[in-house]
Amino acid sequence: MIPKPRVELRCSRQHSSLEVEHLAHWYLRLNGFMTINDFVLHPDHKPWGQRTDADIFGVRFPFRQEQNFEDDQTFRVQTKPYFIIAEITRGECKLNGPWTDPTRESMQYVLRALGAFEPSKLDDIAGALYERYYYEDTDCRIQLIAFGRQASPSFSDPLRPLIQVDFESVCRFIYGRFTKFLNIKKDHQHWDFAGRTLWDLSEAHWNSEASFVKETLNAFGITTA
């Protein structure tokens, strides 16, 4: 038997696992975001390798309209191009060191690499993200978002709010979108493995949102309290 090419095997592995990043990606995708997953930040000097990474970088534009889908209120109220840097964990929502330590200048790196912001504004944007987790001017808004099993009190200061999205809410949103727009979404052969799994779970538990949430969290390796 002739073995399959290695590149095909790599693709097979890539699309046959379920990670929390995939669940967050589908939530953002269904809310109109274009995303880059695992955006790697490389060191500026030897030894070369990986400095850190942004779990998901995304952008959603203000005039998004698709069928009569209703996106989450957090995103619908945005009237400018809306950029996000998302940190994702199976546990309590958090931000890792690169996104809270200004001396590492990870914000400047990712903003510069993405090329969506004027170079002269990078330090101001990065400073605002470190200080209050968002930056906004007349042209756009950029925000840090944390996904996790549950919100963290450490990031719940109303004077310095971090958007925290728990995975139960993510599952409820996906369930609502799939069950409400069954006829539109049933043609999904081109979806990736995570998307097809979410669809299969919604079909298996079409009459119970609670069951869908429980089984989806389990499938994506998220333990509940």
Side-chain angles (χ1 to χ4, degrees):
M1 180 181 294
I2 299 175
K4 292 181 180 179
R6 289 185 179 180
V7 64
E8 195 169 330
L9 290 174
R10 285 200 299 270
C11 290
S12 176
R13 286 197 300 270
Q14 180 181 354
H15 295 289
S16 62
S17 63
L18 297 174
E19 305 291 343
V20 286
E21 290 83 1
H22 301 146
L23 187 55
H25 162 80
W26 270 92
Y27 169 77
L28 292 170
R29 171 174 169 169
L30 292 171
N31 274 289
F33 281 88
M34 292 179 284
T35 61
I36 301 174
N37 294 5
D38 299 321
F39 189 92
V40 174
L41 283 64
H42 299 287
D44 298 323
H45 51 77
K46 294 182 179 179
W48 308 118
Q50 182 172 327
R51 173 177 174 176
T52 187
D53 71 308
D55 290 332
I56 297 181
F57 175 84
V59 58
R60 183 184 189 275
F61 294 104
F63 305 111
R64 161 177 160 78
Q65 186 173 7
E66 184 181 6
Q67 301 292 331
N68 57 340
F69 299 160
E70 187 173 83
D71 296 339
D72 264 354
Q73 179 68 17
T74 299
F75 308 128
R76 283 187 283 129
V77 299
Q78 303 301 326
T79 59
K80 308 169 186 176
Y82 184 51
F83 298 87
I84 62 162
I85 299 173
E87 187 78 6
I88 304 165
T89 180
R90 284 189 177 88
E92 194 173 73
C93 292
K94 66 177 182 178
L95 294 178
N96 287 330
W99 311 114
T100 58
D101 181 0
T103 64
R104 300 177 67 168
E105 297 190 350
S106 295
M107 292 291 187
Q108 288 91 332
Y109 184 109
V110 72
L111 296 172
R112 188 181 304 111
L114 291 165
F117 313 98
E118 292 183 24
S120 61
K121 293 183 177 180
L122 294 186
D123 285 338
D124 288 342
I125 297 173
L129 289 170
Y130 282 124
E131 181 180 350
R132 59 180 182 270
Y133 310 129
Y134 77 92
Y135 170 87
E136 186 169 12
D137 60 18
T138 56
D139 299 319
C140 69
R141 182 180 178 95
I142 179 168
Q143 190 138 20
L144 295 174
I145 295 181
F147 286 85
R149 186 189 66 218
Q150 62 192 45
S152 168
S154 301
F155 294 100
S156 300
D157 183 350
L159 300 179
R160 194 190 182 202
L162 172 70
I163 291 182
Q164 301 183 71
V165 184
D166 67 86
F167 280 117
E168 288 193 22
S169 297
V170 167
C171 292
R172 286 194 294 271
F173 175 84
I174 293 172
Y175 178 84
R177 176 63 58 86
F178 284 179
T179 55
K180 186 175 181 179
F181 298 98
L182 172 67
N183 292 330
I184 295 175
K185 295 296 185 181
K186 66 181 179 181
D187 183 11
H188 57 271
Q189 296 90 335
H190 59 288
W191 290 2
D192 64 19
F193 178 69
R196 295 195 304 272
T197 299
L198 288 167
W199 179 264
D200 290 344
L201 286 165
S202 72
E203 282 197 318
H205 304 283
W206 64 270
N207 62 341
S208 175
E209 180 187 74
S211 295
F212 171 82
V213 170
K214 178 182 178 181
E215 294 304 321
T216 300
L217 292 176
N218 181 63
F220 284 83
I222 304 162
T223 58
T224 55

